[in-house]
Amino acid sequence: AQSVAQPEDQVNVAEGNPLTVKCTYSVSGNPYLFWYVQYPNRGLQFLLKYITGDNLVKGSYGFEAEFNKSQTSFHLKKPSALVSDSALYFCAVRDMGGYSTLTFGKGTMLLVSP
Amino acid sequence: KAGVTQTPRYLIKTRGQQVTLSCSPISGHRSVSWYQQTPGQGLQFLFEYFSETQRNKGNFPGRFSGRQFSNSRSEMNVSTLELGDSALYLCASSLEVLQETQYFGPGTRLLVL
């Protein structure tokens, strides 16, 4: 079975500082990996994905994520946080093999203080 | 292109009733997935449809059912509602291949009293 772990329920960072939201995954085959963001009372918005190729993936709003196969991680990063980045972030994984479903982590609340 | 639309956006029902939620995918998307989001359980997969066929089903009781129409629009139905069914129900659509991104609608917030 596939799974995603987001070890931090909440991450606090000051505006202008770099941020990292952690994600580790488990799949039997090779993964497709995704990051989504959710603002209050909204659906999920796609940020970025890793399919294959370069381990550093760049996405929307200045976010990027690094795929590390040996550590089975896909941490989300941003060099300089904005107050408007405060939201709930979800990591998700899908196994490349077969018709597997998209499995989400529990989510990490990011709070950026002014 | 218009995004994924879900109707209704908000719904209040009482225990024992049934409810039907609707999802219209992005034009050209033939895969539709449904998720239940609650504060305690997070995002849980309900089902996935492709070309009117259920391709995957999550671990939910048979009270939860769905279907997809020939125009890719999808509905999910919950019968005999329980208090614990109160949640945000999210629909997502994608192109048919697995590596494609799922795009989410705004959700339907269901409150069961």
Side-chain angles (χ1 to χ4, degrees):
Chain A
Q2 58 195 42
S3 64
V4 176
Q6 292 182 243
E8 302 150 318
D9 291 336
Q10 185 168 307
V11 169
N12 297 294
V13 64
E15 188 173 34
N17 284 356
L19 69 88
T20 299
V21 182
K22 295 180 181 177
C23 170
T24 57
Y25 66 90
S26 174
V27 293
S28 56
N30 290 314
Y32 296 130
L33 292 156
F34 302 81
W35 275 102
Y36 288 85
V37 60
Q38 186 177 34
Y39 296 98
N41 300 313
R42 304 282 294 276
L44 274 67
Q45 294 180 30
F46 168 71
L47 279 179
L48 52 81
K49 68 180 177 182
Y50 171 81
I51 302 301
T52 187
D54 194 347
N55 290 342
L56 184 63
V57 179
K58 294 187 184 296
S60 307
Y61 314 119
F63 284 94
E64 58 188 29
E66 186 164 12
F67 171 63
N68 187 317
K69 187 171 183 177
S70 63
Q71 297 186 4
T72 61
S73 68
F74 189 57
H75 301 330
L76 181 70
K77 299 181 180 185
K78 187 174 182 181
S80 178
L82 299 172
V83 172
S84 57
D85 292 331
S86 298
L88 186 58
Y89 290 80
F90 290 95
C91 180
V93 68
R94 193 166 197 169
D95 197 316
M96 282 189 193
Y99 291 109
S100 68
T101 61
L102 187 62
T103 299
F104 285 84
K106 292 287 188 183
T108 298
M109 179 63 71
L110 173 66
L111 293 177
V112 182
S113 55
Chain B
K1 266 185 184 178
V4 178
T5 58
Q6 292 186 245
T7 56
R9 292 292 311 278
Y10 303 93
L11 208 48
I12 300 176
K13 292 285 187 178
T14 56
R15 280 183 302 171
Q17 287 186 309
Q18 74 164 13
V19 66
T20 299
L21 311 181
S22 180
C23 171
S24 293
I26 292 171
S27 178
H29 286 189
R30 294 199 292 161
S31 176
V32 173
S33 297
W34 288 90
Y35 298 87
Q36 181 195 66
Q37 185 179 19
T38 58
Q41 298 298 317
L43 272 160
Q44 292 188 285
F45 170 76
L46 280 157
F47 11 72
E48 181 179 16
Y49 287 90
F50 174 69
S51 291
E52 302 178 67
T53 301
Q54 188 179 87
R55 190 159 66 179
N56 275 302
K57 188 178 191 305
N59 189 25
F60 278 82
R63 301 185 296 107
F64 291 81
S65 63
R67 59 178 176 169
Q68 187 180 33
F69 301 97
S70 58
N71 62 357
S72 295
R73 190 177 69 85
S74 178
E75 288 181 348
M76 67 162 282
N77 183 276
V78 188
S79 62
T80 320
L81 284 165
E82 300 178 359
L83 296 179
D85 296 334
S86 295
L88 180 66
Y89 290 88
L90 293 164
C91 167
S93 76
S94 67
L95 294 170
E96 57 264 36
V97 290
L98 294 179
Q99 66 265 33
E100 290 299 330
T101 301
Q102 290 190 6
Y103 293 94
F104 284 78
T108 294
R109 187 163 297 279
L110 172 64
L111 177 61
V112 182
L113 301 176

